Amino acid sequence: MLLLAHGAGAPMDSDFMNAMADAVAAQGISVARFEFPYMHRRRIEGRQFPPDRAPKLIEHFSRVVEQARSIELPVWIGGKSMGGRMASMLAADSTLQDSPVQGVVALGYPFHPPGKPEKVRTGHLGELTVPMLVCQGDRDPFGKVDEVSGYDLPPSIQVHWMESGDHDLRPLKRSGLSQSDLISKAASQIGIFVTS
């Protein structure tokens, strides 16, 4: 079971999230998506709200994980961009007791804000006690190959670079690839990672 959180700006049923959930499910992995409270409020009220602060997002994610305990499947957590970051922060939380989380999957991890490579968001990653897979476009403005290769990431974190992909795994036209090609490749990597 992969509990998959959305990114900061798009809901759990965005085109990207729908395509990724379908592609991961095709790998034989059950996928459950959910929305953080601010996104649910956007949906109900039809207005834009910024994401809540990390502690509130992590608390909500933790409740989703607790609900998944009743399912008799290994539980993996992950998400798109901010959702993947929150998953990694939750998995790195040393106060969690008897966590069922087997590992983390991040799709377009926000290593730093675009244009601000000095504001690295990796401090908690050294606290992870479970494996993590990051599927990252090699053109992602939140962390490109030359930047991320310079980080001191723990060996339990695997970064799989998606050729010509941006933050949403959209490739350049000249690459001859499509977004669905990269989503399928990412899902295949997730399948290998989760079942190995």
Side-chain angles (χ1 to χ4, degrees):
M1 167 69 72
L2 174 61
L3 304 178
L4 196 59
H6 58 80
M12 68 179 183
D13 57 357
S14 67
D15 290 345
F16 177 90
M17 291 291 286
N18 286 341
M20 185 59 73
D22 288 346
V24 171
Q27 298 295 316
I29 300 166
S30 297
V31 179
R33 290 176 276 169
F34 68 93
E35 286 185 332
F36 291 111
Y38 81 92
M39 188 60 74
H40 180 70
R41 185 175 173 206
R42 280 186 187 186
R43 190 181 293 275
I44 299 300
E45 297 184 24
R47 296 186 301 144
Q48 294 291 316
F49 299 98
D52 296 309
R53 296 214 172 268
K56 186 172 181 178
L57 297 173
I58 293 168
E59 179 186 341
H60 184 76
F61 210 143
S62 181
R63 287 196 303 270
V64 172
V65 170
E66 281 304 309
Q67 291 171 354
R69 278 187 187 269
S70 63
I71 300 166
E72 295 183 9
L73 291 170
V75 176
W76 290 69
I77 60 176
K80 169 74 173 92
S81 192
M82 179 199 75
R85 181 171 176 238
M86 293 305 110
S88 68
M89 291 173 78
L90 176 60
D93 186 346
S94 62
T95 65
L96 292 179
Q97 298 294 320
D98 190 33
S99 173
V101 173
Q102 303 293 304
V104 178
V105 173
L107 306 164
Y109 187 86
F111 286 101
H112 60 72
K116 298 179 180 178
E118 72 282 0
K119 295 193 175 191
V120 180
R121 299 169 172 157
T122 59
H124 66 284
L125 295 178
E127 304 300 316
L128 282 173
T129 59
V130 295
M132 179 174 177
L133 172 67
V134 178
C135 293
Q136 190 89 354
D138 62 15
R139 297 185 304 113
D140 193 329
F142 288 84
K144 296 179 182 172
V145 178
D146 59 337
E147 297 163 343
V148 176
S149 64
Y151 299 157
D152 186 23
L153 298 176
S156 61
I157 298 176
Q158 295 180 27
V159 180
H160 183 76
W161 292 103
M162 309 303 297
E163 179 188 350
S164 188
D166 66 5
H167 193 57
D168 293 320
L169 303 184
R170 282 187 302 255
L172 294 168
K173 286 186 180 182
R174 68 174 180 257
S175 72
L177 299 167
S178 67
Q179 184 184 37
S180 62
D181 291 333
L182 295 189
I183 287 173
S184 293
K185 288 179 181 184
S188 177
Q189 286 301 310
I190 293 167
I192 293 166
F193 190 71
V194 168
T195 58
S196 63

